[in-house]
């Protein structure tokens, strides 16, 4: 795709300007194909024209996609950075500020409000860091680049469907370099599946309307298996010599808390595990050293939102500190 084309042109001795022109021409032709597909899917001509107007290949989106951080922090390093004291303080302030709305949505969807606020804080710093990329432009770029073309092309079509439904204007549809949108950082397909109108105004606005943000996050969790009778899990103390082959989130590795108790797993302070009839899994994200956690089904649901243990643990730790 784009990278191979540039390499071939450089090998032929063409200058930088020639490379850029050729690459842009290829991208422009690719966009014509996206427009044709959008028409087949029933997207209006006016939305197609406005959504794609003036878009160009965004090199920095491709660089961001390829240059994920290589250095992996340990959880002891990561958690204090992801959940600093100032974020805990803001989470509690915003929880109190929006308590009436959060409590109503929490009851409606069966999700504890503290988890809604924690997701909000981890995903976008409570709506302050949503990304400033043109979503259609970034997604079209990543589809054209080709490494995950089918995924990103599908996201382009979903973004156009959102625009076609009138939830937001094309020029206001901003997000991350990967196309994650709004305060909960939903990909377009997640928006279509989970986003809801929390304030009943006929539009779903996850960019500026807190009620829509909260309700959409709660709906995502509920539809993904959340159970508000329980929390997410807890950090635990492991006995010496326990077989780490027992650890992991696979379905077959879940055991009752009573079974984990008999295997020697204890709360971090050394006390017995809760007497609750619930299945749990042991995870140790830093391999066979560092923090160990006994996690429940709700934590598995957080992993459906984002497959990263570090993400799920940041959300969980922040939720635990919201009163």
């Amino acid at each position: 795709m784009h990278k191979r084309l540039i390499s071939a042109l450089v090998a032929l001795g063409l200058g930088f300007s020639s490379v850029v022109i050729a690459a842009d021409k290829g991208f422009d032709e690719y966009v014509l194909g996206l427009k044709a597909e959008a028409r087949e899917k029933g997207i209006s001509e006016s939305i197609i024209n406005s959504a794609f107007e003036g878009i160009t290949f965004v090199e920095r989106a491709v660089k961001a996609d390829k240059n994920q951080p290589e250095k992996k922090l340990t959880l002891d390093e990561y958690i204090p950075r992801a959940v600093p004291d100032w974020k805990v303080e803001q989470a509690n302030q915003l929880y109190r500020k929006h308590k009436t709305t959060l409590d109503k949505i929490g009851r409606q969807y069966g999700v504890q409000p503290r988890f809604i606020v924690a997701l909000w804080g981890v995903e976008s710093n409570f709506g302050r860091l949503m990304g400033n990329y043109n979503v259609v432009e970034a997604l079209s770029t990543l589809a054209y680049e080709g490494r995950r073309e089918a995924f990103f092309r599908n996201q382009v079509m979903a973004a156009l469907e959102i625009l076609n439904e009138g939830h937001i204007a094309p020029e206001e549809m901003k997000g991350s370099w990967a196309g994650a949108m709004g305060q909960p950082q939903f990909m377009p397909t997640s928006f279509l599946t989970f986003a809801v109108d929390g304030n009943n105004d006929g539009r779903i606005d996850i960019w500026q309307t807190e009620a829509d943000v909260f309700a959409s996050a709660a709906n995502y969790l509920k539809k993904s298996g959340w159970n508000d009778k329980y929390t997410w899990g807890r950090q635990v103390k492991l006995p010496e010599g326990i077989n780490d082959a027992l650890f992991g989130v696979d379905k077959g590795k879940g055991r009752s808390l009573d079974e984990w108790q008999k295997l020697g797993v204890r709360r971090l302070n050394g006390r017995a595990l809760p007497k609750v009839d619930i299945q749990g899994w042991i995870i140790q994200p830093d391999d066979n050293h560092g923090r160990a956690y006994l996690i429940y089904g709700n934590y598995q649901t957080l992993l459906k939102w984002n497959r990263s243990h570090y993400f799920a643990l940041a959300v969980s730790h922040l939720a635990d500190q919201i009163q």
Side-chain angles (χ1 to χ4, degrees):
M1 285 298 215
H2 176 70
K3 185 177 179 181
R4 291 195 295 272
L5 177 60
I6 289 178
S7 297
L9 289 166
V10 170
L12 291 172
L14 296 178
F16 177 75
S17 60
S18 301
V19 171
V20 172
I21 292 168
D24 285 349
K25 182 180 179 183
F27 179 69
D28 291 344
E29 290 176 354
Y30 189 83
V31 168
L32 291 176
L34 293 174
K35 289 181 176 180
E37 183 177 344
R39 291 187 188 98
E40 291 175 5
K41 293 183 180 295
I43 306 300
S44 75
E45 198 65 28
S46 62
I47 289 296
I48 291 171
N49 289 337
S50 57
F52 287 105
E53 183 180 5
I55 72 167
T56 59
F57 184 87
V58 188
E59 186 69 45
R60 63 194 179 108
V62 175
K63 286 181 179 177
D65 188 36
K66 290 179 177 178
N67 296 331
Q68 299 297 320
E70 292 182 8
K71 183 182 183 299
K72 184 181 179 184
L73 302 174
T74 66
L75 283 168
D76 284 340
E77 295 168 326
Y78 174 77
I79 294 296
R81 297 188 191 189
V83 190
D85 291 343
W86 64 262
K87 183 166 280 190
V88 173
E89 184 179 345
Q90 287 190 6
N92 279 281
Q93 289 173 354
L94 290 165
Y95 177 83
R96 291 191 292 270
K97 177 181 178 181
H98 297 285
K99 189 174 189 303
T100 301
T101 301
L102 285 163
D103 286 349
K104 178 184 175 184
I105 288 169
R107 288 191 300 270
Q108 180 180 352
Y109 291 97
V111 176
Q112 302 96 311
R114 62 193 180 96
F115 285 96
I116 299 171
V117 174
L119 279 164
W120 186 31
V122 171
E123 279 290 10
S124 67
N125 193 18
F126 312 107
R128 296 186 187 93
L129 300 173
M130 293 184 282
N132 200 36
Y133 284 81
N134 175 319
V135 167
V136 171
E137 183 175 59
L139 291 170
S140 298
T141 292
L142 292 169
Y144 171 68
E145 191 269 339
R147 288 184 305 143
R148 290 181 286 166
E149 180 183 12
F151 172 79
F152 284 114
R153 193 175 182 110
N154 189 36
Q155 298 299 332
V156 173
M157 295 303 136
L160 294 172
E161 188 173 339
I162 293 164
L163 294 173
N164 209 49
E165 292 176 358
H167 298 296
I168 191 166
E171 64 273 14
E172 295 173 357
M173 185 183 258
K174 301 293 185 180
S176 73
W177 59 263
M181 307 183 304
Q183 298 189 32
Q185 290 289 278
F186 277 5
M187 293 300 289
T189 51
S190 292
F191 182 107
L192 293 176
T193 305
F194 300 111
V196 290
D197 179 9
N199 66 347
N200 301 310
D201 68 350
R203 293 170 61 243
I204 302 173
D205 176 15
I206 62 170
W207 289 266
Q208 302 296 333
T209 304
E210 279 92 353
D212 291 6
V213 173
F214 302 156
S216 297
N219 189 48
Y220 190 116
L221 292 178
K222 187 62 177 179
K223 284 189 172 180
S224 301
W226 194 267
N227 185 340
D228 66 350
K229 292 180 182 178
Y230 304 108
T231 185
W232 64 273
R234 58 178 29 85
Q235 192 173 351
V236 291
K237 189 176 182 180
L238 301 178
E240 289 289 334
I242 189 170
N243 184 1
D244 61 11
L246 300 173
F247 303 168
V249 296
D250 296 342
K251 190 173 182 181
K253 294 189 175 182
R255 286 173 167 74
S256 69
L257 299 200
D258 186 55
E259 288 177 286
W260 287 120
Q261 173 78 17
K262 289 174 181 175
L263 286 167
V265 178
R266 297 291 183 269
R267 300 185 199 223
L268 199 57
N269 62 9
R271 294 172 57 194
L273 297 178
K275 294 273 186 191
V276 181
D277 184 18
I278 186 174
Q279 193 170 52
W281 294 258
I282 297 290
I283 61 168
Q284 207 167 13
D286 293 336
D287 302 320
N288 60 349
H289 60 277
R291 300 185 186 207
Y293 295 89
L294 174 65
I295 54 102
Y296 308 146
N298 284 342
Y299 183 93
Q300 298 273 33
T301 298
L302 289 175
L303 289 179
K304 294 177 183 177
W305 183 299
N306 184 320
R307 294 301 302 175
S308 164
H309 283 300
Y310 279 42
F311 168 85
L313 288 169
V315 172
S316 300
H317 277 278
L318 182 53
D320 278 352
Q321 296 183 76
I322 296 173
Q323 305 299 318

